Amino acid sequence: LLWDGSRSAQFKDARSFKKFLVDLNDDYLACDALKWSYVFDLNEGQGKPYLRIITDLDEGALCNSGGSSANMGYLPVSFEQGWQRKNRIRPLFAKRDIKKGEEILCRYGEFVAEHGWSAMGL
């Protein structure tokens, strides 16, 4: 297990997300928080979308996209059944052995809702 969403903030609408950014009262931190955010479908494409703006507040915010070379990602749901989901978000696991000093890379398209920002009115 590399990441489980337990330190991620969720916002149900654009208004609450904007309020969070303003309440940070620090332009640089607000800019960082905006970069660390994405829109996620808690229903994972099953039925009507249940979109939330997610802001990672841990080292997950620093994960770069590795595209098809990603070494972190979702595993089959059957494997995940032994892991409790935090905030309704699927955990991310190492997809292979990761060498010491190797950068941990994810694949953004695996968890970011397509057209999510516009669907949230942003």
Side-chain angles (χ1 to χ4, degrees):
L1 174 68
L2 294 175
W3 181 86
D4 67 5
S6 62
R7 293 184 187 99
S8 297
Q10 291 188 21
F11 304 92
K12 65 180 181 176
D13 54 37
R15 182 195 59 75
S16 59
F17 180 63
K18 289 177 187 177
K19 182 178 181 337
F20 164 74
L21 293 175
V22 169
D23 287 349
L24 290 173
N25 202 28
D26 179 320
D27 292 345
Y28 293 107
L29 182 57
C31 186
D32 285 343
L34 183 59
K35 289 189 289 188
W36 301 334
S37 301
Y38 53 94
V39 178
F40 183 79
D41 179 3
L42 292 175
N43 283 338
E44 299 177 37
Q46 305 297 315
K48 183 180 178 186
Y50 187 57
L51 300 177
R52 290 292 184 263
I53 298 170
I54 308 293
T55 303
D56 290 334
L57 302 170
D58 59 9
E59 61 280 351
L62 305 175
C63 187
N64 290 315
S65 181
S68 61
S69 299
N71 52 18
M72 175 173 83
Y74 294 134
L75 295 181
V77 173
S78 59
F79 178 82
E80 285 179 27
Q81 290 178 352
W83 299 90
Q84 179 182 355
R85 288 188 183 189
K86 312 282 178 148
N87 297 321
R88 293 186 59 180
I89 298 175
R90 287 177 71 185
L92 296 170
F93 294 88
K95 296 172 86 171
R96 60 173 175 74
D97 288 341
I98 298 173
K99 296 179 178 96
K100 182 179 179 177
E102 181 181 0
E103 182 178 11
I104 296 175
L105 300 169
C106 57
R107 188 171 63 84
Y108 292 159
E110 194 168 32
F111 54 85
V112 174
E114 187 174 355
H115 308 295
W117 288 110
S118 59
M120 296 297 288
L122 295 169

